[in-house]
Amino acid sequence: MAFDLDGTLAESKSAITARMAGLLVRLLDEVQVCIISGGAFPQFQTQVLDHLDATPQQLAKLNLMPTNGTRYYLFRDGTWREIYSEDLPDAAKRQVIDVLTEGAKNLGLWEDKTWGDIIEDRGSQITFSALGQQAPVAAKTEWDPDGSKKERLRAWAAERLPDLEVRSGGSTSIDVTAQGIDKAYGMRKLMAELHVGMEDIVFVGDRLDPQGNDHPVEAMGIRSVSVKNWQDTADFVDQWLES
């Protein structure tokens, strides 16, 4: 069972609740679990791992795929080990940062009041967060309720970065990776690592709409469950465990 993180397992950049933590631990007794997100590994640590009361045997069945699967972590020998990482070249990173900065300023989307870094180098991904990496959920929701601001910048950057993938990320973020990188790419990597097929996976995400960053998983043919928030996800997992 595979999950998106923000908006699916937890509120944006927030820790999972005790209920969700308990359900994930129970789920690890039954199946392999994958969490795939545009976030970097430290985000997985603070949002999920720090709140799981799981045994090493349970953690060994948890597959972590930061930055949309361009990184892959497994729990081995008592620690989280990076199995692979597909980083962008330094020249490409500098170009992306310049384009995102110029675009945000030209389009009037470079905000003065922010919480943390606006642009973050995640190695295999450059992420633009309009209000900063640590912005509160309420501020992000208010900034771009219909997603139009983010889409303007995404389209502007995509036109100037034709050799890279420029995708909508979270509620106020844009992710730039190598061409062809999305959550479907991550799922293909996961299937190869675990030797399973699409029919063996259930994916749960809150952005399965055609413009959403979870949509590529559904489009590739994996059974996908649409949720609006972590509570929907918890209810789904609860029902699945009881079935």
Side-chain angles (χ1 to χ4, degrees):
M1 193 171 292
F3 300 90
D4 168 50
L5 180 48
D6 279 348
T8 300
L9 292 178
E11 290 191 1
S12 179
K13 298 294 194 300
S14 302
I16 58 173
T17 63
R19 180 189 178 199
M20 182 60 74
L23 288 168
L24 286 175
V25 170
R26 288 175 58 199
L27 197 58
L28 288 166
D29 282 332
E30 304 295 332
V31 292
Q32 292 275 342
V33 174
C34 173
I35 302 175
I36 182 169
S37 168
F41 181 78
Q43 185 177 331
F44 285 61
Q45 185 76 54
T46 58
Q47 287 189 257
V48 180
L49 300 179
D50 288 348
H51 310 279
L52 289 182
D53 184 15
T55 66
Q57 292 75 21
Q58 290 167 326
L59 292 176
K61 294 170 69 176
L62 181 56
N63 303 263
L64 302 181
M65 305 194 87
T67 52
N68 291 314
T70 53
R71 276 179 155 77
Y72 183 47
Y73 289 80
L74 292 174
F75 192 78
R76 296 292 183 265
D77 301 319
T79 190
W80 287 98
R81 298 190 181 277
E82 186 179 80
I83 305 304
Y84 67 73
S85 174
E86 301 172 358
D87 289 352
L88 289 168
D90 288 342
K93 292 180 185 179
R94 289 193 293 270
Q95 181 189 17
V96 171
I97 290 170
D98 289 344
V99 167
L100 289 172
T101 302
E102 180 186 0
K105 291 180 177 179
N106 285 350
L107 296 172
L109 302 177
W110 190 270
E111 299 293 337
D112 294 326
K113 183 178 181 181
T114 58
W115 293 261
D117 294 335
I118 295 176
I119 297 179
E120 183 182 7
D121 178 356
R122 296 177 177 174
S124 52
Q125 177 177 293
I126 302 296
T127 295
F128 170 91
S129 297
L131 299 180
Q133 298 293 329
Q134 307 304 322
V137 174
K140 291 196 288 189
T141 302
E142 183 180 349
W143 185 76
D144 191 21
D146 63 357
S148 59
K149 291 181 179 179
K150 184 176 61 173
E151 175 55 26
R152 282 164 54 208
L153 179 57
R154 189 211 62 77
W156 196 95
E159 183 179 342
R160 290 157 178 81
L161 298 168
D163 297 327
L164 295 171
E165 198 77 45
V166 185
R167 291 190 173 274
S168 170
S171 56
T172 62
S173 65
I174 292 167
D175 297 331
V176 183
T177 63
Q179 191 69 256
I181 302 295
D182 56 23
K183 287 182 181 175
Y185 171 89
M187 287 295 98
R188 292 187 186 97
K189 297 287 281 189
L190 181 71
M191 288 189 292
E193 292 287 339
L194 297 182
H195 306 291
V196 299
M198 288 192 294
E199 67 279 4
D200 300 309
I201 302 174
V202 175
F203 176 77
V204 183
D206 71 314
R207 291 295 311 280
L208 288 168
D209 55 285
Q211 287 73 43
N213 60 358
D214 296 327
H215 179 71
V217 180
E218 183 175 46
M220 72 182 286
I222 288 177
R223 179 194 166 196
S224 299
V225 177
S226 179
V227 296
K228 292 186 172 63
N229 47 48
W230 74 265
Q231 293 96 330
D232 285 353
T233 303
D235 289 344
F236 169 75
V237 173
D238 214 354
Q239 291 169 8
W240 188 89
L241 286 167
E242 295 302 323
S243 64

